[in-house]
Amino acid sequence: MTDNNEADLTGTTPRRRPKPDIMEIGGRRLKPATLMMGHGYDPALSEGALKPPIFLTSTFAFESAAAGKRHFEGVTGIRPGGSEGLVYSRFNGPNQEIAEDRLAVWEDAEDALLFSSGMSAIATALIALVQPGDVIVHSAPLYAATEGLIGKILGKFGVSWLDFPAGATAEEIGAVIEKAKGIGRVAMIYLESPANPTNVLVDVEAVVARRDALFGEGADSPPVLIDNTFLGPLWHKPLAHGADLVIYSLTKYAGGHSDLVAGGVLGSKALVDRIRLMRNTIGTILDPHSAWMLLRSLETLELRMTRAGENAAKVCAWLRDQPQVEKVVYLGFPENARQQDIYDRHCAGAGSTFSLYLKGGEAESFAFLDALKIAKLAVSLGGTETLASHPAVMTHLSVPAERKKALAIGDNMVRISIGCEDADDLIADFEQALAAIG
Ligand SMILES: *Cc1c(COP(=O)(O)O)cnc(C)c1O
């Protein structure tokens, strides 16, 4: 968290600094699972409270006028690097800063920012990086609200876009970037992997290689952004594969209990600072209470995701052998050699969200969904509880029929996010629900 010590600048009595964090022991670098319990927080600064209090305050008292001036130079970007102290809760706060420090640990990111939702993280990042006349190159499909933001909202401000299918080859990706270069300044390459609900992985390494081949080290080289909500931060760490900014809906696996809405952006300090300035201006920061909840969630992130991933592997292996099932589209069963190759190079696990295609149509899907006893019928994913939904009539209802067909969002498709329950109990639930199809 921000070090609020201004003694050297102001000559006032120094405030106590947080104890330096212990990041390694005897040359052994501590793992994220360990750092989640204390990184970025010193109990001595909060009356010894083992857990950080929730700082319900809209503003922070300055040590001196000079300290206030210096903090504002940081907040407004007059001095790069953000504020060195706590200023006003639209800019920063202790709960948010501790959670940001801990989130950054998972991907070894230089810096991280929290937002009031995944969409406000995406919107703030995009608005910070585009100007009229720019082109955004993106993988397709994207989360529907992200596609709407790029196509409909940024379009109003003279920003255009070109896309390539998520599973495109390096050559295909390169051709699209090259075409975009001929249209205007390429503001960014925006990815989402795996694509939802097709579960197709994007070759991030190929995107970065093509970008570098086309732009070199030039100042006009567009940053690669990636929405890592479905696999991060445990199973996919795109910064390690050359992406510049990773974006999250922390509402999903990171929050993990279906009880908060939050977003995050991780990356280099230089890029994150540009987005921070926009967040400071428009106020898309997460509130302290949700930041505290997120902090609690991060302590069990590895446990939860590991368990959910193991459960999903077991459930999917069982599901695909059932007579009522047409196919299971799950990252653990790559659909072709190219997807297998991308998976092997990028992923440490197959996640716990997949698509189940039943034999039949809407009636069969509805019969299955309505019969579930453990799995809840709800959209969203990444929570401790198993959720099931029907994309064609729910999340993707407004997608035109042709596009639905191209994305294989059929009436017989059920989307499932596996949670942390007992895997055999889940299988028992799916078994009786499949039997209920009749
Ligand atoms: C849910 C989701 C979002 C939006 O996040 P919110 O927290 O709901 O605003 C963005 N991208 C992906 C991939 C998502 O699943």
Side-chain angles (χ1 to χ4, degrees), residues 115-122 142-146 190 192-196 227-230 247-252 260-264 380-381 415:
F115 294 86
S116 56
S117 70
M119 277 318 301
S120 75
I122 294 167
L142 296 177
Y143 185 71
T146 308
Y190 187 96
E192 192 176 312
S193 181
N196 175 32
D227 182 333
N228 198 33
T229 299
F230 274 78
I247 302 189
Y248 281 103
S249 167
L250 300 169
T251 312
K252 315 296 167 50
L260 64 85
V261 173
S380 196
L381 62 131
R415 192 82 170 135

Side-chain angles (χ1 to χ4, degrees), residues 331-348:
L331 289 178
F333 312 145
E335 288 201 280
N336 54 52
R338 186 171 154 66
Q339 282 291 306
Q340 176 81 59
D341 173 53
I342 299 173
Y343 181 85
D344 292 343
R345 284 186 284 115
H346 294 79
C347 304

